Amino acid sequence: MKALTCVAVLALGGTVLAQPAPPQKPFPPGVSPVLYELSVPPERRPTAAQITLGEKLFNDKRLSADDSVSCATCHDPKRAFTDGLPRSEGIKKQRGQRNSPTVLNALFNATQFWDGRAGTLEEQALLPIINPIEMGMPDVEAVVAKVKGLPEYPPEFQKVFGREPTAEDLATAIAAFERTQFSGNARFDRFLAGDSKALSAAEKRGWALFNGKARCNSCHAGNAVSPLFSDQKFHNIGIAAHQHDFPKLAAEALRVVRTGDAKQIDELAIQTNLSEMGRFLVTKNENDIGSFKTPTLRNVGVTGPYMHDGSLATLWDVMDHYNKGGIPNPFLDGGMQRLGLTEPEIDDVVAFLFALTSEDLAALEKKELASQRARKNKRPERDTAVALGKKGNLGDIGVSPDLSISNPADRGFYGPVGPSSEK
């Protein structure tokens, strides 16, 4: 993770007239300068003054209704900007409906939130503050009034923006700080850069499986064009069907969308099980029922628990879910199918996923890997018979795995890695 540090700043009449400048240091491996140029238009390039103010606001619990929660509560920099909880905790110990996604590399997202309801970081920045479960402020006007009443902020906003606090400037400052939080320099990046020893044999086998039998690259392809390992699209992979009567819940959502108003729909999405409808409550398109954004896999080893509801504790659980083709439901993404991965193959894919951790998070990676390995024998999603196509009926979408497919890494395509110990 590297912060933008070089910004040209001129002081005039007590107001900072800042001109954004490109980062002083090169981007870390895996973060493309071209992608940065495309993702951050000139008018949104952060200035040093905006970043400083934004970081202060990001960490300030006084922006919440009872001064107990800040942005950093759910996006802790020490935890790779997540909170490590299945679902985030807001004011008065209230639990939200969704897992807290990382802020790292959020500047590259085409949309924000699991359901993509915000198009920019600026649009995203204020919504958690006025969410009744998260930071609990009644509305944007109340947030601005509270900031104006905190003695240090009016002069700071005057210095940065040349005027008293406004909602627009509040969002601009927080978004400016978030745009400095990009992450790369993982073992995988060094491997792609030519260091053949950067990945272990298991990680190389996992990379081959990722692009082959495990089919991860269908939605998480990673390359120079897609360094986040996300197609940035929305898919129903059956997670909500773990815990809900999904067809019944979808029928209720369809009724509400057809008869309810926008305010009611938004409130239900935040506070009730209808949150499980995901993108549908944003687009009102039935094809989006139960679909959520493909998350980045950068630092995925240290940003669990996983999925929009945090229901999968480890990457082994994630692989078990995919291995059996997800949970059937009428709106399941057509790309879901059984994989037939063996246990050693699952271990290899998990090893590769941990190789996407940036170097500065190595200590956290070691801790999280040990924690997940300790739970490896508690696998609620594991069902080998279903994964191998020997049990269950998924109808015409239940494609049985082709068990004759071998890992290309075993054939030497990725260097001398040796075969997995079990077939």
Side-chain angles (χ1 to χ4, degrees):
M1 183 173 61
K2 300 290 182 184
L4 304 180
T5 55
C6 179
V7 180
V9 179
L10 299 174
L12 181 62
T15 299
V16 175
L17 301 179
Q19 296 183 2
Q24 186 176 38
K25 297 179 180 179
F27 288 98
V31 177
S32 162
V34 174
L35 182 63
Y36 183 86
E37 293 291 326
L38 292 172
S39 302
V40 187
E43 67 274 15
R44 288 181 177 153
R45 300 286 161 82
T47 69
Q50 289 172 356
I51 295 166
T52 300
L53 176 59
E55 183 174 13
K56 182 173 181 176
L57 292 165
F58 188 88
N59 289 288
D60 196 337
K61 294 182 177 179
R62 294 175 298 176
L63 267 62
S64 65
D66 61 1
D67 298 351
S68 66
V69 175
S70 71
C71 303
T73 301
C74 300
H75 303 284
D76 183 354
K78 295 178 182 177
R79 295 194 58 89
F81 285 88
T82 64
D83 57 13
L85 300 172
R87 296 184 300 163
S88 297
E89 184 176 284
I91 62 169
K92 302 176 183 177
K93 306 295 183 184
Q94 298 179 96
R95 289 286 178 187
Q97 297 292 321
R98 295 176 184 169
N99 176 259
S100 176
T102 180
V103 171
L104 292 174
N105 292 325
L107 74 157
F108 299 124
N109 288 340
T111 58
Q112 306 296 333
F113 294 114
W114 279 101
D115 56 15
R117 68 182 184 274
T120 66
L121 287 172
E122 283 81 0
E123 291 177 38
Q124 181 277 334
L126 296 179
L127 294 182
I129 302 176
I130 60 173
N131 183 309
I133 294 176
E134 296 182 17
M135 297 175 73
M137 292 296 289
D139 51 45
V140 172
E141 290 73 23
V143 180
V144 173
K146 190 170 185 181
V147 171
K148 284 181 180 178
L150 300 172
E152 71 270 37
Y153 279 124
E156 291 186 31
F157 273 79
Q158 186 69 40
K159 182 179 178 182
V160 177
F161 296 106
R163 56 189 179 190
E164 63 180 6
T166 68
E168 178 185 1
D169 294 341
L170 185 69
T172 296
I174 294 175
F177 168 68
E178 292 177 333
R179 285 200 174 90
T180 67
Q181 306 308 320
F182 48 79
S183 177
N185 198 21
R187 294 194 295 283
F188 174 71
D189 297 310
R190 298 193 287 279
F191 174 72
L192 283 190
D195 181 0
S196 62
K197 297 181 180 179
L199 294 185
S200 69
E203 290 164 350
K204 290 177 182 176
R205 290 193 301 266
W207 171 229
L209 288 161
F210 184 96
N211 292 306
K213 184 177 177 181
R215 306 182 74 248
C216 308
N217 69 347
S218 296
C219 299
H220 292 283
N223 50 50
V225 179
S226 181
L228 296 184
F229 291 82
S230 167
D231 62 5
Q232 308 235 23
K233 296 179 181 178
F234 300 83
H235 303 279
N236 178 331
I237 61 170
I239 290 297
H242 280 298
Q243 303 180 47
H244 299 281
D245 182 340
F246 197 79
K248 182 178 179 180
L249 196 62
E252 173 63 11
L254 285 165
R255 185 193 67 77
V256 169
V257 164
R258 288 168 180 157
T259 59
D261 58 33
K263 184 174 183 296
Q264 179 193 24
I265 294 169
D266 285 345
E267 289 174 352
L268 291 171
I270 292 171
Q271 303 180 47
T272 73
N273 287 339
L274 290 186
S275 174
E276 301 291 356
M277 293 299 104
R279 183 67 171 165
F280 170 63
L281 296 184
V282 177
T283 66
K284 316 299 189 291
N285 184 335
E286 291 187 28
N287 290 330
D288 289 324
I289 288 178
S291 66
F292 291 87
K293 186 169 66 178
T294 306
T296 177
L297 294 186
R298 288 264 170 201
N299 300 306
V300 68
V302 298
T303 52
Y306 304 104
M307 303 302 177
H308 71 274
D309 58 359
S311 60
L312 303 185
T314 73
L315 288 174
W316 277 274
D317 295 333
V318 172
M319 293 309 302
D320 286 340
H321 173 82
Y322 282 113
N323 203 23
K324 59 186 180 184
I327 302 298
N329 70 82
F331 306 95
L332 188 70
D333 192 285
M336 296 293 290
Q337 66 181 58
R338 302 172 186 190
L339 302 175
L341 295 171
T342 65
E343 280 301 297
E345 288 173 337
I346 289 176
D347 289 345
D348 288 344
V349 176
V350 171
F352 169 70
L353 294 174
F354 270 95
L356 299 176
T357 308
S358 64
E359 186 179 47
D360 60 321
L361 295 171
L364 182 60
E365 179 195 358
K366 184 177 180 180
K367 178 182 177 182
E368 290 298 314
L369 179 57
S371 174
Q372 292 198 24
R373 276 179 173 160
R375 302 183 62 159
K376 189 181 168 186
N377 292 325
K378 299 177 182 177
R379 306 267 288 275
E381 297 303 318
R382 183 179 181 182
D383 194 329
T384 303
V386 171
L388 296 176
K390 298 179 179 177
K391 186 179 79 173
N393 178 13
L394 295 180
D396 59 357
I397 64 172
V399 180
S400 294
D402 183 354
L403 302 181
S404 66
I405 298 175
S406 61
N407 186 342
D410 292 347
R411 302 198 295 272
F413 295 170
Y414 291 73
V417 298
S420 300
S421 59
E422 180 186 317
K423 295 295 184 183

